[in-house]
Amino acid sequence: MKQYLDLCQRIVDEGEWVHNERTGKRCLTVINADLEYDVENNRFPMITTRKSFWRAAIAELIGYIRGYSSAAQFRAIGCNTWNANANENSDWLNNPHRKGEDDMGRVYGVQGRSWMRPDGSTLDQLKNIVDDLKRGLDNRGEIMTFYNPGEFHMGCLRPCMHTHHFSLLGGKLYLNSIQRSADVPLGINFNQCQVFVLLALVARITGHTAGKAYHKLVNAHIYEDQLELMRDVQLKREPFPSPQLHINPDIKTLEDIETWVTTDDFEVSNYQHHEPIKYPFSV
């Protein structure tokens, strides 16, 4: 929690104003921030200086793991974060690759589970990683990336958190996740939870002990219409201790996550938090 608040304060104190062309808004911005999460000791990185809705974050991660390409699929498992990008982004609405209402195109999990090869066949990046790790293999390239510049025009949004790199060392599984763009007041806690849960799940289904997850933010920013709430409300609050995440022990394989797992298979305990803060969302 402290590292998150330190980042927020750094942006407020040291950030520079940047005009964002996609949203038409100004952002107070810093370059490069490194966060880390203690998955081994189950210190779940939930923001406590406002209420954070962790179930939607985990639902979104489940959708990525399953390779979902429709906002309707995400809604069905309890995540509404793709409704606007799929249906209110004017550039995407006019894109000939859009297949209709709720279509997201070839973004995020689609790339992770069915990366298109030049010959038209597909590559399942995540399954290859899981298969390697189950055999105890780390070739220094156990990487899943959603960042496919050749297909940006075929999706509603470029991936923000775009690469996950798994590593085995000393009998533990580690994760390095890279995020090109981070809406720090609103979106980043989703991403923090997802990095933590992704390592916990992959460690579980490959038979390893989870170590730490490392989360690099390249462009970390606070939108101009979020600044007052962050500076004058959230940063004035005292944080509470980190809660703990509990995962259904029956989750044992990638197929389990693909087929029957829901957010009911996760529970957070000892989550103390302040009142919610309704930050504006930028499409």
Side-chain angles (χ1 to χ4, degrees), residues 9-73:
Q9 192 65 59
R10 176 187 162 204
I11 297 172
V12 170
D13 294 341
E14 303 174 14
E16 297 184 25
W17 286 109
V18 174
H19 176 76
N20 181 256
E21 184 176 347
R22 181 178 65 86
T23 62
K25 297 180 181 180
R26 293 202 309 162
C27 306
L28 203 56
T29 304
V30 299
I31 300 299
N32 194 55
D34 292 287
L35 307 174
E36 64 178 64
Y37 315 126
D38 188 354
V39 183
E40 181 178 13
N41 292 303
N42 199 11
R43 298 189 64 189
F44 194 43
M46 290 282 291
I47 290 174
T48 62
T49 47
R50 67 168 173 83
K51 185 177 182 180
S52 188
F53 299 94
W54 59 270
R55 287 191 184 275
I58 293 178
E60 185 176 57
L61 178 64
I62 292 171
Y64 291 163
I65 290 173
R66 292 175 176 173
Y68 283 173
S69 62
S70 168
Q73 292 174 299

Side-chain angles (χ1 to χ4, degrees), residues 123-174:
L123 169 69
D124 190 334
Q125 299 182 71
L126 180 58
K127 186 176 186 304
N128 286 351
I129 291 168
V130 168
D131 288 347
D132 281 352
L133 295 177
K134 285 170 70 174
R135 299 196 304 270
L137 174 64
D138 174 11
N139 63 15
R140 303 181 186 173
E142 304 299 341
I143 297 170
M144 176 172 62
T145 183
F146 306 143
Y147 207 78
N148 187 349
E151 294 190 349
F152 283 165
H153 65 293
M154 300 173 69
C156 65
L157 184 70
R158 288 183 300 163
C160 293
M161 187 161 60
H162 57 80
T163 299
H164 300 285
H165 186 171
F166 294 90
S167 302
L168 286 170
L169 184 66
K172 295 178 184 178
L173 184 66
Y174 295 85

Side-chain angles (χ1 to χ4, degrees), residues 97-267:
H97 292 282
R98 186 173 184 264
K99 297 176 182 178
E101 185 177 0
D102 287 325
D103 181 45
M104 296 158 47
R106 291 188 56 78
V107 297
Y108 282 91
V110 175
Q111 300 291 350
R113 302 306 309 267
S114 58
W115 181 282
M116 192 72 69
R117 293 188 177 102
D119 65 3
S121 64
T122 58
L123 169 69
D124 190 334
Q125 299 182 71
L126 180 58
K127 186 176 186 304
N128 286 351
I129 291 168
V130 168
D131 288 347
D132 281 352
L133 295 177
K134 285 170 70 174
R135 299 196 304 270
L137 174 64
D138 174 11
N139 63 15
R140 303 181 186 173
E142 304 299 341
I143 297 170
M144 176 172 62
T145 183
F146 306 143
Y147 207 78
N148 187 349
E151 294 190 349
F152 283 165
H153 65 293
M154 300 173 69
C156 65
L157 184 70
R158 288 183 300 163
C160 293
M161 187 161 60
H162 57 80
T163 299
H164 300 285
H165 186 171
F166 294 90
S167 302
L168 286 170
L169 184 66
K172 295 178 184 178
L173 184 66
Y174 295 85
L175 174 62
N176 288 74
S177 297
I178 305 173
Q179 185 165 349
R180 66 170 180 87
S181 175
D183 178 339
V184 174
L186 191 60
I188 188 63
N189 198 215
F190 255 54
N191 304 127
Q192 291 177 289
C193 294
Q194 288 167 348
V195 170
F196 185 102
V197 175
L198 181 60
L199 177 56
L201 284 175
V202 173
R204 167 79 65 81
I205 65 178
T206 60
H208 296 287
T209 297
K212 287 188 176 181
Y214 301 95
H215 186 184
K216 176 174 283 294
L217 313 178
V218 177
N219 184 301
H221 49 265
I222 299 172
Y223 281 100
E224 189 169 16
D225 56 6
Q226 299 170 331
L227 180 58
E228 184 176 354
L229 285 171
M230 172 58 73
R231 182 191 59 219
D232 299 339
V233 180
Q234 189 164 355
L235 281 172
K236 302 295 185 184
R237 296 174 172 178
E238 287 294 321
F240 295 106
S242 297
Q244 293 79 49
L245 176 70
H246 307 281
I247 301 175
N248 184 345
D250 291 335
I251 301 175
K252 297 177 180 178
T253 67
L254 180 57
E255 184 180 9
D256 290 340
I257 304 171
E258 292 169 335
T259 54
W260 59 263
V261 170
T262 72
T263 56
D264 290 338
D265 294 295
F266 302 83
E267 195 56 61

